[in-house]
Amino acid sequence: MDEPRKPGTSRPVQQAHCNNCSLSTLCLPVSLGLTDIDRLDTIISKSSPLKKGALLFDQGQAFSSIFAVRAGSVKTYTVTPDGDEQITGFYFPGELIGLSGIDSGQYPNAARVLETTTVCNIPFARLDDLAGELPELRRQIMRTMSREIRDDQQMLLLLSKKTAEQRLATFLIRLSERFRIRGYSRTRFRLSMSRNEIANYLGLAIETVSRLFTRFQKSGLIQVEGKEIDITDISQLYLQSGECPNLQQTT
Amino acid sequence: MDEPRKPGTSRPVQQAHCNNCSLSTLCLPVSLGLTDIDRLDTIISKSSPLKKGALLFDQGQAFSSIFAVRAGSVKTYTVTPDGDEQITGFYFPGELIGLSGIDSGQYPNAARVLETTTVCNIPFARLDDLAGELPELRRQIMRTMSREIRDDQQMLLLLSKKTAEQRLATFLIRLSERFRIRGYSRTRFRLSMSRNEIANYLGLAIETVSRLFTRFQKSGLIQVEGKEIDITDISQLYLQSGECPNLQQTT
DNA sequence: CGCATGTTTGACGATACTCAATGTGTGTGG
DNA sequence: CCACACACATTGAGTATCGTCAAACATGCG
């Protein structure tokens, strides 16, 4: 669990190239023309692989950049006055981290890497300038922020109304969908976060999560083997989740 | 509980004038120059007073405008598949509603007026155009969205980690702060939402909220008289809330 | 003034948390 | 390569907080 001296500084590295990047349809370049993508490229720097536990930025730190996940996964969390953390999100390739820092000028939460991960560092001041010149970039940033708001509000509903069972089912269903969109199997995947982190995110005790995994397995919904998950009955899991039949779904 | 035929259409009305508006320091015009404010004015239309229970927009409805509260208050909520609602936010003068609809092109939640309320209707397509021309407007929109993300994430923490007591205390403290910023008393105010709505928002049963109000009163923290609240010991209430000593606070 | 809606209060019970112990995996160093 | 240690995960037993059900009470709108 060692951390880079300057968290999030992603030591000077190879240029990222959005136009080569397989994530360009999920990430900021969506609907940008080729020349615009090149301009975006010039302000972005790709980090070297960050080791598990590395800090992208810390809570309270001055806001300077947003980050796009390239490979791996990241959690964001808030630390409460009495020292325990509340995970506010998990982020996968193509997703943007740090948007909550724009307003106050400091990150209201911390971002930590869950496994070996590479990210793109996008200095916000420059991105903002560019957003002034490229209307599609401006729109894409706003769409991304809008989606984050929507997703967070869906989490409010989960935490406020759902049972433990529904929460975990929902969690798995949503992960499944995100993996599917990224071209991975929607039924077999590896959880990069610990049981503890899942529990924390879902507002449950770790023991509850553990018991539910066991129960889901006994019911034939999933096969669990440590962090490996195999969803064996996705439609049943979906029913358990109490989710609406998705009207529209993007990222 | 009657509603306008075309929800949110805010029947053609008087022009709003941001430069006359006392909320301009809280709302979109923040840091706009006078001529820029005039341009913003031209796309905004002020609604006539909407009666309690009126719908600004409904869940699933096509996204077209965002709304700024001028006077009164509004709640936003999501309806779950099994028909009950989850309130995702309360909004007061100067605050913006509907930002979560930008991404998907439809509002993922509904917005309903809690009391007689006037709003400004801001057609998003035109706002977006204007944001392309006015960098400060663009930034202000992004700041507002960023703040919404941050606030929603604070709610995640509340729902996930806090006890019923802490939740209600936090709710009152946050309301207090929002009233203070708007120039009202931070210790005496009127709750425009029902107990039911408070409970729903805080992820509690209405009975729990009711009991807590009683208990807070008996402890000498507040004086309750229906919807009128008088915070008699704000520092003690603050302690009960389990909130961090606010680093920074805007709106 | 009266009905409907909203609020308070009480008794009881369930879901999920806490505490505790055991079991499993992972990484490190001998 | 194995053994140990540490972190993580599972399972069980008991309990607390908060939700549900129910009834009385207040409020306010028409």
Side-chain angles (χ1 to χ4, degrees):
Chain A
M1 290 266 176
D2 57 346
E3 299 158 25
R5 311 86 223 274
K6 280 193 142 195
T9 317
S10 54
R11 347 182 169 46
V13 201
Q14 4 169 1
Q15 281 295 334
H17 289 299
C18 295
N19 43 27
N20 297 334
C21 181
S22 62
L23 299 165
S24 59
T25 56
L26 295 170
C27 194
L28 270 187
V30 176
S31 70
L32 288 191
L34 281 181
T35 59
D36 292 349
I37 291 186
D38 283 338
R39 299 192 61 186
L40 184 58
D41 259 351
T42 65
I43 70 167
I44 293 179
S45 63
K46 182 181 144 195
S47 78
S48 57
L50 303 169
K51 276 187 292 185
K52 175 175 174 175
L55 208 55
L56 245 47
F57 51 80
D58 203 356
Q59 185 169 343
Q61 185 181 320
F63 171 76
S64 57
S65 292
I66 63 175
F67 296 86
V69 181
R70 224 159 193 279
S73 51
V74 178
K75 69 171 174 179
T76 56
Y77 60 96
T78 306
V79 178
T80 66
D82 38 288
D84 51 21
E85 73 183 47
Q86 172 60 41
I87 295 176
T88 50
F90 296 114
Y91 296 84
F92 293 102
E95 297 179 331
L96 256 44
I97 305 169
L99 296 166
S100 54
I102 295 174
D103 176 52
S104 60
Q106 50 184 240
Y107 299 102
N109 50 21
R112 196 178 287 274
V113 152
L114 292 173
E115 59 192 317
T116 302
T117 296
T118 59
V119 300
C120 291
N121 183 318
I122 311 171
F124 185 73
R126 305 187 65 183
L127 180 67
D128 183 48
D129 286 343
L130 208 53
E133 299 181 42
L134 309 180
E136 272 310 327
L137 178 61
R138 179 186 79 235
R139 294 198 184 93
Q140 183 54 28
I141 296 170
M142 289 189 185
R143 277 193 295 265
T144 304
M145 298 184 81
S146 172
R147 182 162 52 233
E148 175 92 37
I149 294 170
R150 196 192 58 199
D151 291 348
D152 287 348
Q153 292 185 351
Q154 282 183 356
M155 275 306 288
L156 293 183
L157 193 152
L158 179 145
L159 290 173
S160 180
K161 287 262 185 305
K162 293 198 174 189
T163 65
E165 199 168 51
Q166 291 176 318
R167 291 184 201 191
L168 188 61
T170 303
F171 177 70
L172 292 173
I173 290 289
R174 288 190 189 160
L175 274 188
S176 163
E177 176 63 9
R178 285 159 92 183
F179 287 130
R180 188 187 66 72
I181 287 170
R182 285 169 179 72
Y184 300 115
S185 166
R186 66 173 190 177
T187 57
R188 298 180 63 92
F189 46 83
R190 187 174 174 285
L191 301 171
S192 56
M193 65 293 288
S194 69
R195 298 284 191 274
N196 223 320
E197 286 165 331
I198 296 172
N200 181 299
Y201 180 59
L202 297 178
L204 299 171
I206 180 179
E207 295 93 331
T208 305
V209 170
S210 190
R211 281 184 250 273
L212 285 171
F213 270 123
T214 313
R215 199 194 310 170
F216 281 175
Q217 175 152 264
K218 281 184 182 153
S219 315
L221 298 178
I222 60 176
Q223 275 289 102
V224 192
E225 195 155 331
K227 307 211 155 196
E228 297 292 336
I229 298 286
D230 186 352
I231 303 181
T232 48
D233 190 345
I234 198 165
S235 57
Q236 190 56 33
L237 189 64
Y238 191 87
L239 286 178
Q240 298 261 327
S241 76
E243 286 287 88
C244 315
N246 301 355
L247 312 165
Q248 80 299 327
Q249 191 76 280
T250 16
T251 276
Chain B
M1 290 267 177
D2 57 345
E3 299 157 22
R5 311 87 223 278
K6 281 193 143 196
T9 318
S10 53
R11 346 183 170 43
V13 201
Q14 2 169 1
Q15 280 296 333
H17 289 299
C18 295
N19 43 27
N20 297 335
C21 182
S22 61
L23 299 165
S24 59
T25 56
L26 295 169
C27 194
L28 271 186
V30 176
S31 70
L32 287 189
L34 281 181
T35 59
D36 293 349
I37 291 186
D38 283 339
R39 299 193 62 186
L40 183 59
D41 258 350
T42 64
I43 70 168
I44 292 179
S45 62
K46 182 181 144 192
S47 78
S48 57
L50 303 169
K51 277 188 291 186
K52 175 177 175 174
L55 208 55
L56 245 47
F57 51 79
D58 203 354
Q59 185 169 342
Q61 184 181 322
F63 171 77
S64 57
S65 291
I66 63 176
F67 296 86
V69 180
R70 223 159 193 284
S73 51
V74 178
K75 68 170 174 180
T76 56
Y77 60 96
T78 306
V79 178
T80 65
D82 38 286
D84 51 21
E85 73 183 46
Q86 171 61 41
I87 295 176
T88 51
F90 296 114
Y91 295 85
F92 294 102
E95 297 179 330
L96 256 44
I97 305 169
L99 295 167
S100 54
I102 295 174
D103 177 52
S104 59
Q106 50 183 240
Y107 299 102
N109 50 21
R112 196 179 287 274
V113 152
L114 292 174
E115 61 194 315
T116 302
T117 295
T118 58
V119 299
C120 291
N121 183 319
I122 312 171
F124 185 72
R126 303 188 66 184
L127 181 65
D128 182 49
D129 287 343
L130 208 52
E133 298 182 44
L134 309 178
E136 272 310 326
L137 178 61
R138 180 186 79 236
R139 294 199 183 94
Q140 184 55 27
I141 296 170
M142 289 190 186
R143 277 194 294 266
T144 304
M145 298 183 81
S146 172
R147 184 164 49 234
E148 175 91 38
I149 293 171
R150 196 192 57 197
D151 291 347
D152 287 348
Q153 292 185 350
Q154 282 184 354
M155 276 305 288
L156 293 183
L157 194 151
L158 179 145
L159 291 173
S160 180
K161 288 261 187 303
K162 294 197 174 190
T163 65
E165 199 168 52
Q166 291 177 317
R167 293 184 200 190
L168 188 62
T170 303
F171 177 70
L172 292 173
I173 290 288
R174 289 191 188 159
L175 276 188
S176 163
E177 177 63 10
R178 285 158 92 181
F179 287 130
R180 188 187 65 75
I181 286 171
R182 285 169 178 72
Y184 300 115
S185 167
R186 66 172 189 176
T187 56
R188 297 180 65 93
F189 46 84
R190 188 175 172 286
L191 300 171
S192 56
M193 65 293 290
S194 69
R195 298 284 191 272
N196 223 320
E197 288 165 330
I198 295 172
N200 181 300
Y201 180 59
L202 297 178
L204 300 171
I206 179 179
E207 294 93 333
T208 304
V209 169
S210 188
R211 280 184 250 272
L212 285 171
F213 270 123
T214 313
R215 200 194 310 170
F216 281 174
Q217 175 151 264
K218 281 182 182 156
S219 315
L221 298 178
I222 59 176
Q223 275 290 103
V224 192
E225 195 153 335
K227 308 212 156 200
E228 298 293 337
I229 297 287
D230 186 352
I231 302 181
T232 48
D233 190 345
I234 197 165
S235 57
Q236 190 56 33
L237 190 63
Y238 192 87
L239 285 177
Q240 297 261 330
S241 76
E243 287 286 90
C244 314
N246 301 355
L247 312 167
Q248 80 297 330
Q249 191 80 278
T250 15
T251 276

